[in-house]
Amino acid sequence: MGIIKLILQLNPYILLGCALGIIIFLVFYLLSKLQKIKLLNDNISQLYRELQELDNQAKLIIQSDMELKLYQEDVEDKLKKLTLLRTLISSSISILDEEELFSKIDEELINNLGFKKSLLILYPTKETKLNINFTSSQIEGFKDLITHSFELIKTSSVTSYKTFVHKEELKESLGEIVNQDFLLAPIRMGKNIYGIFILANCILPRGVTAAEEEIFYIICMYLGQCLDNIKLFESLYKASEELESKVKEKTFQLKKSLDEIKAISKLKSEFISGVSHELRTPLTSIKGFSSLLVAEKFGTLPEEAKERLKKIDTNVDKLVNMVNTLLDISRIESKKVEIKITPTNIVKIIKDVKDFFMPQVNSKNINLVLNTPNYLDVYADNNLIERVFINIINNAIKFTPQGGTITVGCTPKDTHALISVSDTGCGMTKVDCEKIFQEFYRADNALNKKVQGTGLGLSLVKKIIDTHGENIWVESELNKGTTFYFTLKLVK
Amino acid sequence: MGKEKLAIAFSQNYDTDSAIKMISRNIKSSLGTQPISLALLFFTPRYQPMFIKETLSITLKSENIFAIQSPLLIFQNKIIKRGIVCCCLTKNNISVKSSFIKKTDVTDVEFLFKKNIISLKEKQRFLISSLGPQINVYNYLRGLSLAVGRNFNVFGAGFLKKYGIKNFLVVNNTIEEGLGSIILGGKFNIDNIKVGGFIPLGKKFTITKVALEKNRIIEIDKKPAGLIYKKYLGDKFDLFKKTSMCSFYPIGIKNNGNYNLIHIIDILRDDSLFCIGNIKEKTEAHIMIATQETLLKEVKNAVRYIKNDFDYDVAIIFNSLARRKILKNNADKEIQNLKGILGEKTKVIGLYCDYQIFPSDYIKEFTIGNYFLSMILLKYGDY
């Protein structure tokens, strides 16, 4: 109260001044507060804008992150499908049975492809080859659909359910399957349609895309290829079975014929051996007496009788020679001769045979040339190979005209020695060359008719070389000469 | 040999019988003739649960068999796509109670767990459940809370319905799909971690309306819930819905500084969000995002923190299939890192599931997560 009284007692001008001062202070105070409020509002607006900006950035982050994740999922899905395809191919590429091939199309594979159901309807029989999770009424629906739209399905690689849903005429056949997303594709076997493969009820979140259609198309193509292979294999197998049975039949016939030939050959050998043996005893006796008679050991004979006896003696010699050769062949064939194949110096045998034939060679004025190294060891039966040389060189002397040349050669070649006996005689035709080693075969030429022989010598030679497991052959040209070749294994 | 208290084994043999025989041989070579209290098995589909039970009851003669089927398993530092993993605990001061029910009514669950808990007198106890696709998680959690209170170590692996695959359980003589549980009591030290790695993105929002079953968010900020995604995705929202990408962007509910992640299974036609979990109204949330790097980093940090120079005997992991979807090829790296930090002495087994149940450290109740790596760490002894 005292202060109020004091104020009232003051000059009214002072009072007015004080009031004005207070008012001015309050105005300034208010202004400063308003300034602060404005500043705070600005700050709030700034923060709000920043928050909005951050929220906008969050939008960008989520959108980019989602796109990246979708892209990654897509890549992973494609990779997964490629792996699936690789697994399917690797597990079925060598399958050659239809049932086994389709056993690979199981529920797991269909799920991994992104579908729940699958169906394979054969064409044109419309049998159900494969069914995963379809009901019988749904199967009938697809069969109807295939009947109505076969031309469309046949010409397309993959047909999607979208193709059918708007077709009024198919509404009835689609029936239960109308609400399912499915893919249809033909499996081609050669030029024909084997069946229609169906995938349905896509379980992928993004639904059926071009990737699913593409992989389905590849699988259908692959199955068609496998079916082609199976068909090819089956026809090849059938052909090979037929061939095998024919070969078996022919082999049996040949074996039978061979057995018969062997039996006949054995009989022949036994017969020849028996007859030859039986002939040799009286022949020895005949030869003995004929020789004694020709030598006039039983007294002088009239010239005419002596002449006839000489012919008898010569022919007995031939007969004895023939019987001996026949006996040798027969012994070799029946393996009665003991063959001793040992390391032998072939050059020494050749030289011994040359010495043996020198009187004959000289008398016929033939040049017998040896073209051999000093020493060459081969595996051979000494006596039998000597016989080979005697027979071949004897033949050569017979067919080589006076002044001609006989060359005996011997050269090592890889693991074998190649031995040759060439002459400059009349030669043979190709037909003769092929038959020359047959028993009793004699080449049909004028000279041969003059030259005496049994036709058994070369047959014996062939049998001896065969016994050694080696080869013998002849090369000849008419009027130029003949060369006999044979091989013997070299001693290492 | 024969002195271990627990042993783990693994087999990839194609046929169930020979796989179980191989596992049994390996377990016996570690445990010798000691009686086995629990055989805990995880197995991938295509192994026959019937043969698992029959062969195991002959070879190991374990008092309790608890086997869970899962699409992917964990053994030491590897993710297993086909095989059987087994962990056997000896009777060394361990008590086990197992149970199975086919359908979850709240009172059934409450009764079942109460009965089992009462019969276990040990101080240290924990529970492992496997929840099949037909199990109502909300009923399970309510029944469980009523039976054991909220301060109990509960771990679980939950599975959603997947095309063509059943989630079988073997609980002693029962082979079914349903809810199987084991409660373990005894002298051991038990720790657990749940590892996330998601970060919040954009403005926070409020869940304003939730369905009665607590598994469907109807409104966010008083608008249809799905629109929250539309706000961020614009015209890409339809593609987002069609491709089920929502599983990559969970909703994170902040809880004492941590985010609990809600897996959005689907955006329904009315734009409500269908999810697993016990969602409450008026909670503030964010859209969450993770990269492979944030997930891997979080595992390293969390496991290093819990390890802290301590060697556990065994680590049982319930990992998230959704998490693996984000990690892709780095999922193996996650397990390798984890095993590397835990060290040689700690045996690691585990499985992948659609969601996990674990105790929350902050609010002392059980929570459901879909993107977590949940791990139980055990050490035998009196602590």
Side-chain angles (χ1 to χ4, degrees):
Chain A
M1 287 297 285
I3 294 165
I4 295 166
K5 274 182 184 175
L6 185 71
I7 291 167
L8 288 172
Q9 283 169 4
L10 284 173
N11 191 317
Y13 293 106
I14 295 170
L15 272 174
L16 190 66
C18 285
L20 270 171
I22 289 166
I23 288 164
I24 289 164
F25 170 77
L26 284 172
V27 166
F28 275 102
Y29 181 75
L30 196 67
L31 280 172
S32 76
K33 285 294 168 191
L34 281 171
Q35 192 74 29
K36 270 191 179 172
I37 288 166
K38 191 178 175 289
L39 208 66
L40 280 171
N41 273 338
D42 287 349
N43 281 345
I44 287 167
S45 305
Q46 179 66 26
L47 280 172
Y48 184 77
R49 277 199 300 277
E50 279 176 12
L51 190 63
Q52 204 59 43
E53 186 58 33
L54 279 172
D55 213 37
N56 287 337
Q57 281 178 11
K59 282 178 193 170
L60 276 176
I61 290 169
I62 292 186
Q63 284 177 17
S64 323
D65 191 66
M66 190 186 94
E67 274 179 12
L68 185 71
K69 283 194 168 89
L70 278 174
Y71 180 71
Q72 278 180 340
E73 295 243 304
D74 195 36
V75 170
E76 271 177 18
D77 186 57
K78 279 177 183 157
L79 194 69
K80 193 180 154 192
K81 285 199 164 62
L82 281 176
T83 313
L84 188 76
L85 200 62
R86 192 193 65 189
T87 314
L88 174 70
I89 291 171
S90 61
S91 67
S92 60
I93 198 145
S94 55
I95 290 177
L96 294 167
D97 178 71
E98 222 177 278
E99 296 304 319
E100 201 186 339
L101 174 71
F102 286 107
S103 72
K104 300 282 169 191
I105 314 290
D106 56 7
E107 195 167 350
E108 191 183 356
L109 178 96
I110 300 301
N111 290 343
N112 286 332
L113 283 171
F115 292 85
K116 201 174 164 185
K117 298 177 179 180
S118 182
L119 187 65
L120 174 59
I121 297 168
L122 298 183
Y123 189 83
T125 58
K126 290 200 188 138
E127 281 173 43
T128 308
K129 179 84 181 169
L130 179 94
N131 175 25
I132 297 169
N133 297 326
F134 273 113
T135 62
S136 52
S137 62
Q138 287 169 337
I139 295 171
E140 288 310 312
F142 275 113
K143 284 181 182 175
D144 277 355
L145 183 71
I146 291 166
T147 311
H148 285 113
S149 315
F150 184 70
E151 282 308 311
L152 173 72
I153 297 165
K154 193 177 88 175
T155 49
S156 316
S157 50
V158 176
T159 317
S160 151
Y161 68 103
K162 290 170 195 160
T163 318
F164 305 105
V165 285
H166 301 301
K167 293 196 173 178
E168 285 295 319
E169 69 272 21
L170 293 174
K171 264 192 177 166
E172 200 182 322
S173 57
L174 283 171
E176 267 193 63
I177 56 174
V178 75
N179 291 325
Q180 297 183 6
D181 40 357
F182 57 82
L183 295 175
L184 283 152
I187 296 176
R188 292 170 209 278
M189 194 162 80
K191 287 176 183 172
N192 303 323
I193 302 282
Y194 171 81
I196 308 296
F197 196 19
I198 300 152
L199 292 180
N201 280 45
C202 182
I203 50 174
L204 299 168
R206 64 172 190 283
V208 178
T209 65
E212 278 68 47
E213 288 188 14
E214 193 59 31
I215 199 98
F216 183 46
Y217 174 59
I218 294 169
I219 288 175
C220 288
M221 271 209 327
Y222 171 71
L223 289 174
Q225 191 69 53
C226 286
L227 288 167
D228 279 343
N229 289 346
I230 290 168
K231 196 182 168 191
L232 190 69
F233 171 75
E234 278 172 359
S235 58
L236 274 174
Y237 185 74
K238 207 176 164 188
S240 85
E241 273 205 330
E242 273 173 21
L243 193 69
E244 203 177 316
S245 98
K246 275 182 187 169
V247 167
K248 267 185 188 168
E249 197 184 324
K250 289 286 171 198
T251 311
F252 177 74
Q253 281 174 1
L254 281 171
K255 198 170 174 278
K256 203 176 159 190
S257 305
L258 192 70
D259 288 346
E260 279 171 11
I261 289 165
K262 272 184 183 170
I264 291 165
S265 174
K266 196 184 169 197
L267 274 175
K268 182 202 80 181
S269 296
E270 279 170 6
F271 173 74
I272 290 170
S273 173
V275 169
S276 307
H277 199 76
E278 290 304 317
L279 280 171
R280 210 158 71 158
T281 317
L283 272 174
T284 312
S285 170
I286 292 166
K287 171 67 187 165
F289 285 118
S290 69
S291 298
L292 288 171
L293 282 169
V294 169
E296 295 180 327
K297 296 286 179 190
F298 300 109
T300 313
L301 293 168
E303 201 52 41
E304 281 186 357
K306 197 178 172 183
E307 199 64 32
R308 281 19 168 223
L309 271 170
K310 269 185 184 172
K311 280 189 181 173
I312 289 170
D313 190 52
T314 313
N315 282 316
V316 167
D317 276 343
K318 280 188 206 167
L319 209 55
V320 168
N321 191 28
M322 187 189 276
V323 166
N324 282 340
T325 313
L326 274 172
L327 266 173
D328 287 341
I329 291 171
S330 139
R331 276 179 194 148
I332 288 170
E333 273 183 348
S334 60
K335 292 175 183 168
K336 280 178 184 167
V337 177
E338 196 189 347
I339 298 160
K340 290 176 185 170
I341 296 175
T342 52
T344 308
N345 182 6
I346 191 82
V347 179
K348 187 179 179 298
I349 297 174
I350 293 168
K351 282 177 180 169
D352 288 349
V353 174
K354 186 194 172 188
D355 292 344
F356 174 74
F357 279 114
M358 275 323 281
Q360 261 179 278
V361 166
N362 289 338
S363 69
K364 217 176 167 184
N365 195 22
I366 290 171
N367 192 17
L368 180 58
V369 181
L370 297 191
N371 190 7
T372 60
N374 290 333
Y375 189 88
L376 192 64
D377 267 354
V378 293
Y379 286 107
D381 182 304
N382 213 340
N383 294 327
L384 291 176
I385 290 298
E386 194 180 69
R387 190 76 182 269
V388 167
F389 278 112
I390 288 170
N391 279 11
I392 295 174
I393 294 170
N394 191 31
N395 259 6
I397 293 168
K398 278 182 197 170
F399 292 102
T400 304
Q402 278 195 347
T405 306
I406 296 168
T407 310
V408 182
C410 166
T411 47
K413 204 174 182 185
D414 299 330
T415 53
H416 284 74
L418 179 67
I419 297 131
S420 61
V421 178
S422 310
D423 63 51
T424 54
C426 57
M428 289 181 286
T429 63
K430 224 172 185 180
V431 178
D432 290 334
C433 285
E434 282 167 12
K435 294 181 176 176
I436 198 73
F437 295 111
Q438 288 178 9
E439 282 168 28
F440 300 108
Y441 183 81
R442 302 202 69 212
D444 187 19
N445 59 44
L447 184 63
N448 214 359
K449 280 167 189 162
K450 289 179 196 166
V451 175
Q452 292 179 343
T454 58
L456 288 170
L458 287 174
S459 173
L460 179 65
V461 163
K462 171 97 167 74
K463 289 208 162 42
I464 291 169
I465 298 298
D466 285 348
T467 312
H468 278 75
E470 297 292 340
N471 295 318
I472 183 164
W473 67 98
V474 61
E475 287 172 7
S476 184
E477 208 175 326
L478 266 176
N479 303 321
K480 284 195 175 173
T482 304
T483 305
F484 283 88
Y485 294 97
F486 63 92
T487 57
L488 286 171
K489 200 178 175 189
L490 280 173
V491 176
K492 282 182 185 171
Chain B
M1 295 282 275
K3 293 289 170 195
E4 304 281 334
K5 287 172 185 169
L6 69 87
I8 61 167
F10 156 69
S11 174
Q12 266 188 317
N13 286 3
Y14 269 94
D15 112 86
T16 311
D17 195 49
S18 70
I20 290 293
K21 281 177 183 164
M22 183 184 168
I23 283 172
S24 303
R25 273 197 302 275
N26 291 340
I27 294 280
K28 281 199 167 179
S29 72
S30 295
L31 301 181
T33 53
Q34 296 179 85
I36 296 166
S37 182
L38 171 69
L40 174 67
L41 290 103
F42 305 141
F43 62 101
T44 52
R46 293 183 187 277
Y47 284 98
Q48 303 293 321
M50 175 64 85
F51 293 146
I52 290 179
K53 187 212 92 181
E54 283 182 356
T55 312
L56 206 65
S57 57
I58 297 164
T59 53
L60 282 183
K61 291 181 179 143
S62 170
E63 266 187 8
N64 293 278
I65 299 171
F66 189 60
I68 306 170
Q69 185 182 304
S70 163
L72 288 166
L73 311 178
I74 296 163
F75 185 76
Q76 299 286 46
N77 61 352
K78 283 183 189 129
I79 297 175
I80 312 293
K81 287 181 183 161
R82 194 201 73 238
I84 304 177
V85 164
C86 176
C87 175
C88 284
L89 307 179
T90 58
K91 283 182 84 174
N92 232 305
N93 299 320
I94 288 261
S95 304
V96 181
K97 287 283 165 197
S98 54
S99 60
F100 176 85
I101 47 173
K102 206 166 179 183
K103 281 183 181 168
T104 37
D105 185 76
V106 178
T107 46
D108 288 346
V109 177
E110 184 191 353
F111 174 73
L112 183 79
F113 288 125
K114 245 185 188 158
K115 187 181 76 180
N116 284 336
I117 290 285
I118 288 165
S119 62
L120 280 181
K121 303 292 176 202
E122 283 83 357
K123 193 176 147 195
Q124 286 286 356
R125 293 172 299 188
F126 72 98
L127 183 150
I128 296 177
S129 289
S130 173
L131 297 90
Q134 69 276 54
I135 297 301
N136 183 321
V137 189
Y138 179 64
N139 284 352
Y140 166 78
L141 288 176
R142 277 204 54 199
L144 192 65
S145 297
L146 291 170
V148 300
R150 289 181 171 182
N151 192 9
F152 197 86
N153 281 317
V154 173
F155 305 95
F159 299 91
L160 299 176
K161 197 175 175 108
K162 295 276 167 62
Y163 169 74
I165 298 169
K166 284 195 165 188
N167 275 93
F168 279 108
L169 268 173
V170 181
V171 185
N172 296 335
N173 289 322
T174 312
I175 301 165
E176 284 261 22
E177 273 190 311
L179 167 68
S181 298
I182 45 164
I183 305 174
L184 278 93
K187 287 181 179 174
F188 47 72
N189 176 50
I190 175 164
D191 285 314
N192 77 87
I193 50 165
K194 64 175 175 68
V195 188
F198 279 75
I199 46 174
L201 201 67
K203 284 187 197 171
K204 70 177 171 191
F205 50 81
T206 309
I207 298 169
T208 45
K209 194 173 177 188
V210 174
L212 276 176
E213 302 81 28
K214 310 280 184 194
N215 61 356
R216 197 159 57 88
I217 303 171
I218 299 169
E219 282 182 8
I220 285 173
D221 290 337
K222 295 188 176 172
K223 286 176 194 164
L227 298 184
I228 193 73
Y229 285 105
K230 195 169 187 174
K231 178 188 157 189
Y232 288 100
L233 291 157
D235 52 7
K236 290 192 174 75
F237 180 64
D238 288 338
L239 181 67
F240 179 80
K241 267 172 87 169
K242 196 179 160 192
T243 52
S244 299
M245 291 296 285
C246 43
S247 63
F248 286 109
Y249 308 98
I251 283 175
I253 295 172
K254 203 165 186 179
N255 201 336
N256 286 0
N258 276 18
Y259 281 94
N260 191 27
L261 301 169
I262 307 293
H263 182 189
I264 309 299
I265 298 165
D266 204 0
I267 301 173
L268 304 180
R269 284 187 182 178
D270 61 354
D271 276 335
S272 62
L273 305 176
F274 178 56
C275 42
I276 312 165
N278 188 6
I279 321 247
K280 288 168 188 161
E281 283 180 4
K282 291 177 187 168
T283 45
E284 289 186 334
H286 273 99
I287 286 182
M288 306 293 282
I289 192 167
T291 63
Q292 296 187 353
E293 288 72 29
T294 57
L295 295 180
L296 290 175
K297 194 178 163 192
E298 191 72 8
V299 167
K300 272 189 182 177
N301 291 341
V303 180
R304 268 191 201 124
Y305 178 77
I306 193 109
K307 159 81 175 161
N308 195 23
D309 288 335
F310 189 77
D311 287 322
Y312 292 94
D313 288 327
V314 68
I316 302 166
I317 299 169
F318 295 143
N319 208 345
S320 151
L321 282 166
R323 188 183 180 85
R324 188 175 181 273
K325 211 172 161 188
I326 298 168
L327 279 168
K328 296 187 189 298
N329 294 338
N330 274 325
D332 294 279
K333 204 171 172 185
E334 180 182 61
I335 303 302
Q336 284 160 14
N337 289 345
L338 181 146
K339 171 68 183 161
I341 296 165
L342 286 177
E344 275 304 304
K345 286 181 185 168
T346 308
K347 296 166 175 111
V348 177
I349 63 160
L351 55 77
Y352 279 82
C353 54
D354 291 303
Y355 63 93
Q356 307 96 7
I357 289 162
F358 40 79
S360 169
D361 299 337
Y362 306 102
I363 52 170
K364 295 292 176 198
E365 69 170 19
F366 322 121
T367 45
I368 302 169
N370 309 112
Y371 293 86
F372 291 102
L373 183 151
S374 161
M375 182 161 69
I376 310 160
L377 293 138
L378 272 184
K379 173 88 178 169
Y380 267 95
D382 210 352
Y383 292 90

